[in-house]
Amino acid sequence: MRPVILDIDPGVDDALALLMAVHSPELEIIGLTTTSGNMPLDQTTENALKVLELVGRTDIPVCMGAARPLVGEARHAYEVHGAEGLGAAELPDPEAMPAGDAIDFLIEGIEARLGEVIVVATGPLTNLAMAEAKRPGILSQCRRLVIMGGVLHEPGNISPHTEFNFHADPHAARQVINSGANIALIPLEAARQLWLDQDLLEARLAGRTDALARFCAAATQTVMAFETQLYGRRGMHLHDPLAVGLSIFPALCEVKPMFIDVEPEGQLTSGQLVVDRRPFVIDDHLVGRQVECAVKVNVPGFLELFLDRLLQ
Ligand code: RIB
Ligand code: CA
């Protein structure tokens, strides 16, 4: 089993990714760290606690992290994930409480198992940046960081050239990308290859009346309505579940080494990925750090894994 820490901002696709991870025997979930992102920190934390209680996994600690980005104010995505971040799903208030500080949890969890821990980050990278600032070099002590974020050349989803997680905290994204850690990056170009058709989900849920099935049907409603309007077909992309999938079966994605950095301050471009594609450099160095960037997804393979694990 691979020890993992999920750094999340649930949010519907984070919740689906969490359920997939909980149902994957290959992963030993050491804990969850929550951050502001899709929802304010209190809500992302409550949602993480609620989803763990839904599947009877209150043994997994949930630690609260950053309530705002390193610089500037927090922004959220109510229009995508619904008023409380889990679409139309209504889960009981959690009985469990947060277990502590996310930054210390990340540092202690990684230090306890040097070179073993995979951190799957599917929200703004504020917690990871703060952990690196508090204990320089800690991210490089991970086995791998699997990060959902950024957009290479396609249109962004929060501004013309930026993706939500990197736009929400561009300084943190830049610090994590430049930390020297072993990074697998899932940009929008990869996440957008994964489309969960509403008919397929409904077919897999048909006849099921259990709480998990009811949650999945209700939670996906808001995102599917939003993306159906945006893309003209019934369904949704699976950004964050792909990050969990990649931590289980790396072969699900064809990856390509790329030198990337993140623009932290541009008035129109803060959070934009800067990819250094120069075939040669003169008198300077390639910009940014090398990451393994997901470029092609085994879509049928992933969808089968996702639905099998989600709806176990
Ligand atoms: O841009 C998509 C990403 O931003 C996903 O992780 C989604 O949950 C939001 O956090
Ligand atoms: Ca997310």
Side-chain angles (χ1 to χ4, degrees):
M1 292 178 86
R2 269 164 240 163
V4 297
I5 297 173
L6 306 181
D7 188 69
I8 56 176
D9 64 330
V12 173
D13 59 330
D14 298 76
L16 299 180
L18 172 54
L19 289 168
M20 180 181 177
V22 165
H23 292 152
S24 293
E26 300 85 353
L27 302 180
E28 173 198 355
I29 304 175
I30 304 173
L32 311 183
T33 49
T34 54
T35 181
S36 164
N38 286 317
M39 293 286 126
L41 177 64
D42 287 347
Q43 190 68 66
T44 60
T45 304
E46 179 182 295
N47 290 343
L49 291 165
K50 283 182 172 179
V51 172
L52 289 178
E53 292 195 4
L54 172 70
V55 289
R57 289 302 307 273
T58 53
D59 59 298
I60 297 173
V62 178
C63 294
M64 291 180 79
R68 64 186 50 77
L70 296 182
V71 175
E73 290 309 312
R75 64 175 303 161
H76 309 303
Y78 296 103
E79 70 284 359
V80 181
H81 298 272
E84 296 186 357
L86 294 178
E90 290 182 4
L91 293 177
D93 288 342
E95 289 178 19
M97 296 293 288
D101 174 76
I103 312 316
D104 292 335
F105 184 84
L106 281 163
I107 293 169
E108 290 159 19
I110 295 165
E111 283 184 335
R113 300 173 74 168
L114 290 179
E116 292 183 51
V117 176
I118 297 174
V119 176
V120 180
T122 60
L125 295 175
T126 318
N127 291 343
L128 274 63
M130 290 174 72
E132 181 71 15
K134 186 169 185 178
R135 181 82 85 259
I138 192 67
L139 297 182
S140 299
Q141 302 285 0
C142 293
R143 174 176 177 170
R144 175 160 260 203
L145 303 186
V146 182
I147 297 170
M148 193 281 131
V151 59
L152 296 168
H153 49 78
E154 287 186 1
N157 62 2
I158 193 72
S159 82
H161 296 293
T162 60
E163 174 279 330
F164 178 84
N165 288 334
F166 279 29
H167 184 84
D169 194 338
H171 292 84
R174 184 171 207 199
Q175 289 174 23
V176 171
I177 291 293
N178 285 282
S179 67
N182 173 10
I183 293 174
L185 181 70
I186 298 170
L188 283 183
E189 283 81 1
R192 283 172 172 159
Q193 294 174 36
L194 272 182
W195 179 261
L196 174 63
D197 196 280
Q198 189 163 345
D199 292 342
L200 174 60
L201 180 63
E202 287 173 356
R204 296 295 283 262
L205 292 175
R208 286 186 55 164
T209 58
D210 56 291
L212 174 62
R214 292 201 312 274
F215 171 78
C216 291
T220 53
Q221 270 180 31
T222 311
V223 180
M224 285 194 168
F226 180 83
E227 294 213 36
T228 297
Q229 187 187 9
L230 205 55
Y231 296 100
R233 54 180 177 149
R234 289 167 20 108
M236 64 182 281
H237 289 111
L238 295 171
H239 303 91
D240 296 345
L242 180 54
V244 167
L246 198 56
S247 70
I248 302 169
F249 297 124
L252 275 172
C253 284
E254 186 184 316
V255 296
K256 182 180 172 189
M258 287 189 188
F259 268 85
I260 65 164
D261 204 334
V262 181
E263 172 52 60
E265 297 283 356
Q267 286 186 4
L268 299 174
T269 57
S270 67
Q272 180 173 346
L273 288 186
V274 175
V275 185
D276 196 337
R277 294 185 175 89
R278 290 177 292 174
F280 58 87
V281 291
I282 298 172
D283 299 336
D284 67 0
H285 58 281
L286 285 168
V287 166
R289 288 282 185 146
Q290 182 169 303
V291 304
E292 295 294 307
C293 193
V295 292
K296 186 164 174 36
V297 181
N298 172 353
V299 174
F302 174 83
L303 282 176
E304 196 45 45
L305 172 75
F306 169 69
L307 290 168
D308 174 61
R309 299 296 168 89
L310 177 71
L311 300 173
Q312 197 167 61

